[in-house]
Amino acid sequence: VQLVESGGGTVQIGGSLRLSCAASGFTFADHHIVWFRQAPGKGREGVSCITAMTNRAYYSHRVEGRFTVSTDSNKQTTYLQMNNLQADDTAVYTCAAAVGPCHGTPGGSFFYDESDFFSWGRGTQVAAST
């Protein structure tokens, strides 16, 4: 069971990046993937969740409208397209997998319990600066 992120880097404020999270060793369609991020000196926060079977996506209010999550089931890969990156988006981004669908809310956000995640990637650094 493995998750491997790629696509991080440094961009100017307002720029874009696309992260990838490649999954192996488990049945991708039976799970959901959450993208987390952790900025220096801050706690980890979930920014997006996608249910692999339905492609239903949810976002934190901090990234809604700027980030888009998607999956390619054939490649067992989840993508996070990040547009209009701001300085406070600078963080290590990590994907994690849990069984079943996302725990979405009617408002489009989601909640999670970190103990539900059985696989975590090693993370990829994203930085936005002037």
Side-chain angles (χ1 to χ4, degrees):
V1 176
Q2 191 175 22
L3 295 172
V4 179
E5 303 95 340
S6 60
T10 301
V11 297
Q12 290 189 327
I13 288 175
S16 299
L17 283 173
R18 189 176 82 152
L19 306 182
S20 299
C21 170
S24 61
F26 62 95
T27 306
F28 186 70
D30 295 339
H31 298 81
H32 65 273
I33 302 292
V34 171
W35 280 99
F36 291 88
R37 68 183 182 186
Q38 187 165 20
K42 296 186 178 180
R44 184 160 54 197
E45 63 170 333
V47 298
S48 73
C49 184
I50 188 163
T51 299
M53 184 172 289
T54 63
N55 283 323
R56 180 70 167 93
Y58 303 86
Y59 301 93
S60 75
H61 294 306
R62 294 185 65 189
V63 307
E64 189 173 17
R66 298 187 298 123
F67 289 14
T68 303
V69 64
S70 61
T71 63
D72 182 334
S73 295
N74 290 331
K75 297 181 179 179
Q76 298 212 145
T77 299
T78 301
Y79 303 98
L80 185 67
Q81 177 67 43
M82 305 183 295
N83 297 330
N84 191 22
L85 283 161
Q86 302 299 309
D88 61 2
D89 293 318
T90 295
V92 175
Y93 285 71
T94 304
C95 59
V99 176
C102 295
H103 303 300
T105 70
S109 186
F110 65 99
F111 58 94
Y112 55 86
D113 182 336
E114 289 196 9
S115 67
D116 289 340
F117 296 92
F118 64 89
S119 183
W120 294 77
R122 298 180 69 176
T124 185
Q125 177 71 52
V126 170
S129 63
T130 56

